[in-house]
Amino acid sequence: MQFSSWILSTIVAISLFAPIARAQEPASAPSPAQTQTKSAPAKPKAAPPATPPKKQEAQKLNPVVVTATRIEQPIADIGTTITVVEDPQIQEQKIDRVGDVLRQVPGLQVTQSGSPGSVTDVSIRGATSAQTLILVDGVEVNSGATGGFDLANLTTDNLDRIEVLRGAGGSLYGSQAIGGVVNVLSREGEGAPTASLVSAGGNRATSQQVATVSGADGNLHYSGAVSYFSTEGFRPVNDNSDNLSLSSRLDYHLGDDTVIRGFARYSASNVSLPNFLVFDGVPLDPTAHDRNEFMLFKGEVEHHFGENLMVRASAFFVRQDLRLNAPPFPAGKVFGAPYFETDSIPDETRGGLAEAIYTWTEGFRTVAGFDFKDRWVRSGSSCTFCEPVSPFGAGTTTFHARRQEYAGYLEQEGSFLDGHLLVTGGFRVDGNSQFGKEVSPAWSVAIPITKISTTLRGSYSEGFRAPAFNELYYPNYGNPNLQPEISSEYDGGFTTNFGERASLTATYFSRRVHNLIVTVPCKYGPSCLFGAEAGNAARVDVQGVEVVPSLTIVKGLTLSGNVTVLDETHKDAPLNFAKAFLTPPRPLRVAKHTASALLQYVRSANFLPNDRITASVNYIFVGDRDDITVSGVPPIANHAAYNLVSAVVSYAMGIPLSHVNNEEVFARVSNLMDRDYSEAFGFPAPTINVLAGVKLDFD
């Protein structure tokens, strides 16, 4: 049940308990040569074969990123913790969804509620999905209704890289960045026109088709992709899903000083919901399904005034539209009555950003900016238990909400002691038409010690989360008097490189969140039909350690991975809250131990002069965690740990044909050991899935 039962499940599962579940390391997989951020003015770039191997290694160890500070900086010069996953690494593993990429990033835990296409949340260092900011080409896509973002249908098509900032990003990005920031960045086209086609199929009628194009024509650079995915799923009934995705990017260079950019993304998915009534004792629903539509448009102009000042301005529009239909069926009874539900929830955000970066001298830069967002949601639900009749009568629940958010931020970067001390500090002031003003400061320090190839890091940051519209206004649950959640976090660690063959990163972090929004008891009545409402009633403390090793065993064979140990506790919960639900609040779906490892082998010139073999095995471990039970007795139970193994092998022949410069065959096996597990109680995870296909590259 999407929104009427969102209330029930939220009362028991989300707000009742704790939120679910810096060193500069590459992603857990060994990454190919990493490139500079594509939001900078495009310049002619050398073709990949012309890049010397040693330079590739230097780029790999010290890529340039933009998410951490909004200023282009080598990753080793940043005092916060950020991971970069580049497109070549993603393509080598044949990963088609951003959520699956994030499973390999240290400190992140991804929870998928069933088959492909079902709701997929990400948690950074134990934060909730509403405390994790998701950006697509720098545009916030978190839902105004729930505060989170469903990653289920966000594909890896046309990507340049994914940057993940772990730790509060409130001083630059405002609300929702308590846990961190995930920034999904499109690639800029360059060079001669190229195209590719991918066609793959597998068991359970799984099919995937992808077409991409990129290149440059004079001053116009372009890239784009279209993909279609479908599957019958693995449940006995009503488990099919499909997704159509399109993405594009245009860069027009008016001259050496000015660039105009355009970004667009669109996806439309149909997803069956066999587990729709699982918490009401109905194991399989043969009729429920939803349709999701997502679109994003962004325009940007960047101009350089001489060598010192760069100014950038952009405007964007994001729309997410969920339509759910769950017709009644004979076995689908709740409290003895046939259950039905239809939902229509359009959610829009539009806004703009103006930003200036001034370089005073080498090593000293200032960034200042202002952004504005206008959000609205129109939620409408008709269901068996919706208002206005009673908790046990059919009716309709609707609410409309809107707010404006505006913010200014300032950040200073400084290099001292001949580059041996790198300091970044700043603050952001957020204004909100509903709750007023919040100030979020932050600072970070990086100390490179070149003699021992080590960088020491430390940082402190504050953040906040504005209440989501559902928490404020959902009928019989929302509380318009909610205050924003407030966080403070510090972390510290080091990265050391052992030549070009090995590296080790270790980070300690600690975060405290006040005014945590949870479900609190209220007096039953016309405005409290469920006996509970949203309230600021708790505090959560999180601390943990991330360890990220990487090793080149022999030429072409690499082993990398990460381990995260996390401890999360809740405090200050009201006594009547604990009594009402017969259990103290504690973390929900937050594993204390998570790990991943990737063993990858790459070899060229095997049978043909230009061929290439790539093989990899990926291991994911998610430890025990508390989770809400399906029966509700007891309401919370231990959810067993799971191990997940996937394997990929590909062979690129590299035979030049007419307009074809490469032919590749590949196979990917997910859940190789065919484990019977679930990431959330009541939502079995997919069984073994084999996908095999062909890729052709055209010039």
Side-chain angles (χ1 to χ4, degrees):
M1 290 176 271
Q2 197 68 20
F3 272 84
S4 60
S5 35
W6 175 87
I7 293 299
L8 298 174
S9 62
T10 299
I11 290 173
V12 183
I14 301 177
S15 302
L16 171 60
F17 308 100
I20 64 174
R22 293 173 176 178
Q24 283 43 18
E25 75 280 356
S28 60
S31 172
Q34 302 193 22
T35 58
Q36 292 192 354
T37 173
K38 298 299 186 295
S39 63
K43 298 181 180 180
K45 301 175 186 179
T51 305
K54 290 186 177 180
K55 185 175 180 180
Q56 288 184 351
E57 289 297 327
Q59 291 173 328
K60 172 182 174 180
L61 295 174
N62 199 24
V64 173
V65 296
V66 70
T67 305
T69 62
R70 288 190 186 265
I71 302 175
E72 293 179 351
Q73 284 185 293
I75 204 167
D77 296 350
I78 298 172
T80 51
T81 307
I82 189 167
T83 294
V84 180
V85 189
E86 291 205 307
D87 179 66
Q89 176 183 346
I90 297 170
Q91 296 305 318
E92 286 179 352
Q93 296 186 65
K94 308 304 177 188
I95 302 176
D96 66 337
R97 303 296 171 102
V98 169
D100 289 330
V101 176
L102 298 180
R103 294 179 187 274
Q104 300 181 28
V105 177
L108 272 65
Q109 184 177 330
V110 177
T111 302
Q112 179 175 303
S113 299
S115 296
S118 57
V119 175
T120 304
D121 297 324
V122 63
S123 164
I124 299 180
R125 292 178 171 177
T128 65
S129 61
Q131 295 172 341
T132 302
L133 182 64
I134 308 297
L135 306 176
V136 176
D137 290 314
V139 176
E140 179 180 338
V141 295
N142 289 56
S143 164
T146 64
F149 180 71
D150 182 4
L151 292 164
N153 298 303
L154 184 60
T155 67
T156 58
D157 306 332
N158 201 40
L159 287 192
D160 180 68
R161 67 193 185 280
I162 301 172
E163 297 182 0
V164 182
L165 172 66
R166 304 196 299 282
S171 66
L172 287 177
Y173 297 100
S175 181
Q176 265 70 48
I178 283 178
V181 181
V182 177
N183 197 1
V184 180
L185 298 165
S186 302
R187 63 174 171 173
E188 178 184 349
E190 58 186 4
T194 61
S196 68
L197 289 175
V198 174
S199 182
N203 60 327
R204 304 300 297 176
T206 301
S207 174
Q208 181 185 17
Q209 318 297 326
V210 185
T212 64
V213 62
S214 68
D217 184 3
N219 293 334
L220 178 64
H221 297 227
Y222 56 88
S223 67
V226 57
S227 67
Y228 180 75
F229 173 88
S230 64
T231 182
E232 288 184 354
F234 69 99
R235 306 300 301 279
V237 297
N238 195 35
D239 200 25
N240 58 294
S241 67
D242 62 77
N243 178 57
L244 172 68
S245 293
L246 300 93
S247 63
S248 64
R249 172 175 173 170
L250 298 175
D251 297 70
Y252 189 79
H253 297 251
L254 292 175
D256 294 336
D257 298 328
T258 305
V259 185
I260 301 175
R261 302 187 180 94
F263 304 83
R265 266 187 184 264
Y266 174 84
S267 67
S269 65
N270 297 277
V271 182
S272 297
L273 305 173
N275 304 104
F276 186 65
L277 294 175
V278 66
F279 285 93
D280 297 297
V282 181
L284 284 175
D285 188 320
T287 63
H289 64 277
D290 67 29
R291 296 182 178 181
N292 292 275
E293 188 176 42
F294 170 83
M295 61 184 71
L296 178 152
F297 302 99
K298 176 186 176 183
E300 180 179 272
V301 178
E302 180 180 297
H303 182 73
H304 288 253
F305 295 89
E307 297 182 354
N308 297 93
L309 178 63
M310 186 275 284
V311 176
R312 180 188 300 127
S314 63
F316 64 86
F317 171 81
V318 178
R319 179 181 173 92
Q320 302 174 64
D321 196 349
L322 169 66
R323 297 180 183 273
L324 181 144
N325 185 26
F329 61 98
K333 294 184 178 181
V334 179
F335 297 114
Y339 187 84
F340 77 93
E341 181 175 345
T342 59
D343 298 326
S344 177
I345 306 109
D347 187 315
E348 288 188 5
T349 304
R350 64 198 75 198
L353 179 145
E355 187 174 71
I357 299 175
Y358 188 81
T359 302
W360 302 90
T361 185
E362 184 178 359
F364 288 86
R365 291 184 291 184
T366 301
V367 58
F370 174 83
D371 69 30
F372 171 80
K373 300 182 187 73
D374 179 35
R375 303 179 186 269
W376 65 257
V377 64
R378 298 187 179 108
S379 176
S381 300
S382 297
C383 67
T384 304
F385 302 139
C386 290
E387 274 219 90
V389 180
S390 73
F392 306 101
T396 300
T397 298
T398 62
F399 78 89
H400 299 173
R402 186 171 189 169
R403 72 172 172 227
Q404 289 75 44
E405 303 169 6
Y406 43 91
Y409 53 89
L410 180 69
E411 184 179 75
Q412 178 65 48
E413 166 200 323
S415 175
F416 303 92
L417 304 178
D418 196 24
H420 294 292
L421 177 64
L422 308 170
V423 180
T424 302
F427 65 93
R428 175 179 171 118
V429 180
D430 280 88
N432 187 294
S433 60
Q434 291 175 325
F435 64 77
K437 182 176 69 175
E438 289 294 336
V439 179
S440 305
W443 59 262
S444 65
V445 176
I447 305 175
I449 308 174
T450 55
K451 289 185 178 181
I452 57 174
S453 300
T454 298
T455 299
L456 307 179
R457 308 170 331 279
S459 68
Y460 173 83
S461 55
E462 296 182 6
F464 77 101
R465 181 178 81 85
F469 287 140
N470 282 356
E471 295 166 327
L472 289 165
Y473 303 121
Y474 198 89
N476 301 305
Y477 174 77
N479 178 358
N481 297 316
L482 285 176
Q483 295 299 307
E485 299 175 342
I486 306 296
S487 74
S488 59
E489 179 169 357
Y490 61 88
D491 70 8
F494 68 89
T495 295
T496 186
N497 297 306
F498 303 94
E500 297 179 353
R501 298 196 59 177
S503 67
L504 176 65
T505 292
T507 306
Y508 170 81
F509 60 89
S510 178
R511 178 175 67 241
R512 172 167 293 180
V513 181
H514 292 277
N515 291 339
L516 191 70
I517 299 175
V518 297
T519 298
V520 298
C522 61
K523 185 177 181 181
Y524 179 83
S527 62
C528 183
L529 296 181
F530 299 104
E533 66 180 5
N536 297 108
R539 188 190 89 194
V540 60
D541 295 329
V542 184
Q543 58 184 349
V545 175
E546 299 161 348
V547 180
V548 186
S550 179
L551 173 66
T552 299
I553 302 172
V554 295
K555 182 180 179 180
L557 182 62
T558 55
L559 175 64
S560 58
N562 63 79
V563 176
T564 301
V565 179
L566 184 147
D567 181 47
E568 182 172 316
T569 58
H570 278 213
K571 299 179 179 179
D572 296 342
L575 180 62
N576 61 342
F577 176 85
K579 288 182 177 179
F581 293 96
L582 305 178
T583 181
R586 60 183 189 262
L588 178 68
R589 295 178 184 168
V590 175
K592 289 189 174 182
H593 304 92
T594 57
S596 75
L598 181 72
L599 181 65
Q600 187 172 57
Y601 176 72
V602 179
R603 181 175 175 177
S604 301
N606 302 278
F607 311 109
L608 298 170
N610 298 313
D611 71 353
R612 175 185 171 98
I613 293 176
T614 303
S616 63
V617 178
N618 177 234
Y619 170 75
I620 301 289
F621 170 77
V622 177
D624 294 4
R625 63 256 182 233
D626 288 329
D627 198 356
I628 179 174
T629 62
V630 172
S631 66
V633 182
I636 297 296
N638 181 64
H639 199 154
Y642 66 87
N643 302 270
L644 188 62
V645 178
S646 300
V648 179
V649 61
S650 66
Y651 177 62
M653 290 171 274
I655 302 175
L657 302 173
S658 178
H659 300 294
V660 177
N661 59 31
N662 186 47
E663 310 83 15
E664 181 182 359
V665 293
F666 63 88
R668 176 180 173 86
V669 184
S670 302
N671 193 4
L672 180 64
M673 311 304 294
D674 199 18
R675 298 291 188 185
D676 183 10
Y677 74 103
S678 65
E679 299 176 16
F681 274 144
F683 301 91
T687 55
I688 186 171
N689 179 252
V690 180
L691 190 72
V694 177
K695 179 182 180 183
L696 299 177
D697 295 323
F698 302 87
D699 55 18

